[in-house]
Amino acid sequence: MPTDLPVRNTIRMSWQRSQDSLVDADQPAPSYFAGIDYDTTLTRAARPVIDALSSELTNEPVCIILTDAKGVVLDRRGGDRTLIRRLDSVDLAPGFRYAESEVGTNGIGTALEVGGPILVLGEEHYTGVLRGFACAGAPIAHPVTGGLLGVLDITTQAKNSNAVLLSFAKLAARRIQERIVEEANALDQALLSDYYAVCRHTGGSVIALGDEVFMINSHAQQHFDSTDQAALIDRTRDARGGTKPVTFIADLPSGTIARLAYNPTFLGDTLAGGVIQIKEQRSGTRTTSEGRVPALPGLAGTSALWRHTIHEVLDASGRAEWLVAEGEAGVGKLSLLRSVRDYTSPNGRLAVLDAAEPVPTEDFLSHAGAELESGADLIIARAHLLNGEAIEGLTMLLQSARDGSIGRDPWVALTMLTGQTGGSEQLGTQLLHFFPRTVEVPPLRHHLEDIPALVRQLLGRAGITGVTMSPAATNQLMRLPWAGNVTHLRRVLTEVARRRRSGVIELADLPAECRATTRRHLTRMEALERDAVVGALAAHHGDKTAAAAALGMSRATIYRKIRDYGIVT
């Protein structure tokens, strides 16, 4: 343990956090992470800076270390052989995480905790084996967004410590931030160049998107109303960060079906963003009948996009036109098909077979044949999971149904995951030609205005009565991306209802995952950290100082976590 000699308050507070985190005072145990991305905005900007600095410190017993925002070492340069051996002995090497919560007070983890540069001298380290070192850490923030990217740390043996170490670290961190701006400007210029070229060449609707850039040309603004523009902008999230060209279809609230062709822009090997060309596949000619979509049992939602989707399936079902309902997992493809078929053919029999069920292919085909023979309509759920033998057998059955040799003229539909229709050559060449129409069932994030109605329906369907959702809680649910769509929302509501069986569900009753609005995918470690912050804030009634103390972090750190995770307090 550190001594009781007079120390700086910053160090003493760090010791307390280390102790609260149960850090081993004798031997650090940093976690190791494999598969780290070494080609990021931070590493690209830092590489030449570290190259230059290490050349200046040639033959000096000094090591330059770069970490990410979690304290994971990304790069380590310089240092004599003795220093490198000693650093290896304490796992201060690429891939290891030198967070304060794992190894105690140190120049990397403590700089992250306090949110500023710090020099930690030998005896100021919390763990015994680190007291032979002196380290100066300077945080690196994104110069545009302000988000924390990592730490530039300079480490030497304690006997060689010098106050100039911190000056070197701060200078290098500042130079890295300047290079981030330079790269951002170059990337933005490359994206802008492609955007203007496409606008001039096509004369049509174009969108450009990068990390910090979003542009929509005047043609798109004039051609699409504000509701359709919002839907287009939301749809582009699915393309952001893509490194390969991709084309996808968007059903717009006006009834227009738009084709979006995304092409990435690179500066060298670095992705600058992408340009999206928008073309109408079918003009928005919403009919009066589409505007009066009937209320269907089992479905909830009145948004223009959802009504348009229902109308598409109603139209196909009314014509006995076979179709594919395509969409992400959990969007309600099967529920939509069931509900529409029950409405258009209330006296008919509907059979549903799930390709994911672990039954022999022979039994699956026998069951499908028997249902068609009996005159039932048929839905094959998760048809993208059909194997080659099942596809071949089902193709023969459907051909017989088309020829009228088995049963009456049935209605048949498939559900499939978006992007999976071309995953099997047999699926595309043998089976799908029976289905002239594909209807895309939109993800929940594309019609968030339907969430209040969905909440009421899902609670009622689960038999949860006497519970209502407060406006604040409802508004928060409508801000979330819902990666698991309606299935995800149902799970959340079920979890909430287990804890509150009557009265009003308030914002504080929502689970931790619903109290944060970040749209990026969180690692398991980040999700646990987010939940811990939300839990501490709830336990201390929103008192950030008390919550930070309970978590063993500084007030500056908890404010940063709240901002980074988009936690609503």
Side-chain angles (χ1 to χ4, degrees):
M1 283 286 293
T3 68
D4 292 326
L5 296 174
V7 294
R8 292 176 286 161
N9 190 52
T10 302
I11 297 298
R12 186 172 295 281
M13 291 176 65
S14 175
W15 288 353
Q16 185 61 56
R17 290 192 299 269
S18 303
Q19 185 174 17
D20 293 343
S21 298
L22 304 179
V23 174
D24 189 326
D26 296 317
Q27 181 69 42
S31 302
Y32 179 76
F33 295 87
I36 297 170
D37 183 4
Y38 290 101
D39 184 25
T40 65
T41 297
L42 173 62
T43 56
R44 288 193 301 271
R47 198 169 294 124
V49 176
I50 295 176
D51 286 343
L53 186 56
S54 61
S55 67
E56 292 179 22
L57 298 175
T58 302
N59 300 323
E60 295 291 334
V62 173
C63 200
I64 306 154
I65 298 168
L66 178 72
T67 80
D68 66 12
K70 298 297 180 183
V72 178
V73 178
L74 303 174
D75 197 356
R76 187 184 71 180
R77 305 279 195 88
D80 56 27
R81 281 181 291 182
T82 300
L83 178 58
I84 294 298
R85 282 198 301 270
R86 294 198 61 192
L87 292 177
D88 286 341
S89 71
V90 295
D91 293 330
L92 185 44
F96 288 94
R97 182 173 183 248
Y98 250 66
E100 195 180 72
S101 60
E102 294 194 26
V103 299
T105 307
N106 73 93
I108 296 167
T110 304
L112 290 171
E113 285 294 330
V114 302
I118 189 168
L119 174 63
V120 179
L121 301 174
E123 290 299 318
E124 292 179 327
H125 287 87
Y126 183 80
T127 56
V129 295
L130 296 184
R131 291 178 203 146
F133 301 99
C135 47
I140 304 166
H142 195 290
V144 178
T145 66
L148 184 64
L149 298 177
V151 169
L152 191 287
D153 173 85
I154 299 180
T155 292
T156 186
Q157 294 192 59
K159 63 183 180 181
N160 299 321
S161 63
N162 191 308
V164 78
L165 289 178
L166 189 57
S167 297
F168 263 120
K170 291 192 291 186
L171 180 64
R174 187 160 58 248
R175 181 59 186 133
I176 292 170
Q177 291 177 173
E178 291 169 357
R179 287 195 59 84
I180 290 172
V181 172
E182 293 168 6
E183 181 185 71
N185 290 339
L187 293 173
D188 291 347
Q189 187 59 49
L191 179 60
L192 190 63
S193 177
D194 277 6
Y195 169 70
Y196 283 142
V198 172
C199 288
R200 287 193 301 269
H201 178 70
T202 65
S205 299
V206 181
I207 288 175
L209 60 156
D211 282 344
E212 305 298 334
V213 174
F214 184 91
M215 296 176 284
I216 180 168
N217 70 349
S218 58
H219 185 280
Q221 296 178 48
Q222 294 165 9
H223 196 69
F224 298 100
D225 63 26
S226 59
T227 304
D228 277 1
Q229 286 181 42
L232 284 169
I233 291 169
D234 195 62
R235 192 73 171 88
T236 61
R237 289 197 185 101
D238 297 333
R240 188 181 295 275
T243 58
K244 296 181 179 179
V246 64
T247 298
F248 46 97
I249 303 299
D251 284 326
L252 303 181
S254 66
T256 297
I257 296 179
R259 176 178 177 271
L260 284 70
Y262 167 85
N263 280 289
T265 292
F266 288 92
L267 181 63
D269 294 330
T270 303
L271 180 70
V275 177
I276 296 175
Q277 298 180 55
I278 306 167
K279 294 183 180 180
E280 288 188 12
Q281 295 289 88
R282 192 172 75 230
S283 182
T285 54
R286 183 182 299 147
T287 63
T288 304
S289 62
E290 182 176 344
R292 294 197 300 267
V293 171
L296 302 182
L299 299 182
T302 57
S303 68
L305 180 57
W306 185 238
R307 288 202 314 270
H308 172 68
T309 305
I310 294 174
H311 174 77
E312 287 273 292
V313 181
L314 275 169
D315 183 62
S317 179
R319 298 170 185 267
E321 184 178 53
W322 295 7
L323 65 82
V324 176
E326 185 180 76
E328 297 176 6
V331 296
K333 300 182 288 294
L334 182 57
S335 295
L336 174 59
L337 292 177
R338 281 180 182 273
S339 185
V340 166
R341 197 54 181 166
D342 287 347
Y343 177 81
T344 57
S345 185
N347 298 319
R349 184 167 177 275
L350 177 65
V352 178
L353 300 183
D354 191 343
E357 289 293 326
V359 297
T361 299
E362 184 179 349
D363 293 348
F364 177 86
L365 294 173
S366 176
H367 191 179
E371 295 292 356
L372 292 171
E373 285 276 8
S374 71
D377 293 329
L378 179 65
I379 296 174
I380 304 293
R382 293 186 273 197
H384 55 281
L385 298 178
L386 291 168
N387 61 36
E389 183 183 356
I391 292 172
E392 186 175 341
L394 195 57
T395 299
M396 296 175 62
L397 284 174
L398 296 183
Q399 186 62 57
S400 298
R402 277 290 191 217
D403 295 342
S405 56
I406 60 171
R408 63 172 182 81
D409 186 19
W411 180 73
V412 182
L414 310 178
T415 75
M416 305 186 75
L417 283 182
T418 297
Q420 297 296 312
T421 52
S424 164
E425 184 177 350
Q426 282 182 292
L427 188 65
T429 59
Q430 296 184 29
L431 191 60
L432 292 186
H433 79 271
F434 287 106
F435 300 86
R437 185 185 296 195
T438 294
V439 174
E440 183 177 0
V441 183
L444 183 54
R445 64 182 177 277
H446 291 171
H447 58 114
L448 291 170
E449 61 268 43
D450 289 329
I451 280 184
L454 278 167
V455 167
R456 291 190 296 271
Q457 184 213 55
L458 293 173
L459 287 174
R461 187 184 295 175
I464 302 167
T465 58
V467 175
T468 58
M469 188 79 63
S470 74
T474 300
N475 289 338
Q476 177 63 11
L477 294 181
M478 293 174 68
R479 298 173 61 197
L480 301 174
W482 297 110
N485 296 296
V486 179
T487 300
H488 189 181
L489 176 62
R490 181 188 298 114
R491 178 179 59 75
V492 165
L493 294 175
T494 302
E495 180 182 341
V496 170
R498 279 202 298 265
R499 298 194 304 269
R500 179 172 290 282
R501 299 177 182 84
S502 62
V504 179
I505 297 171
E506 299 290 353
L507 186 61
D509 296 318
L510 298 179
E513 65 174 303
C514 294
R515 299 282 297 281
T517 56
T518 180
R519 288 188 178 270
R520 68 182 177 86
H521 177 72
L522 299 182
T523 65
R524 177 59 179 159
M525 185 171 63
E526 288 174 326
L528 291 171
E529 183 178 58
R530 175 204 63 196
D531 293 355
V533 171
V534 169
L537 288 167
H540 293 87
H541 309 290
D543 186 328
K544 298 177 182 62
T545 301
L551 292 169
M553 63 176 59
S554 69
R555 190 168 61 176
T557 298
I558 199 169
Y559 273 99
R560 188 177 73 247
K561 301 295 184 187
I562 290 170
R563 183 183 68 247
D564 290 348
Y565 293 133
I567 296 171
V568 179
T569 59

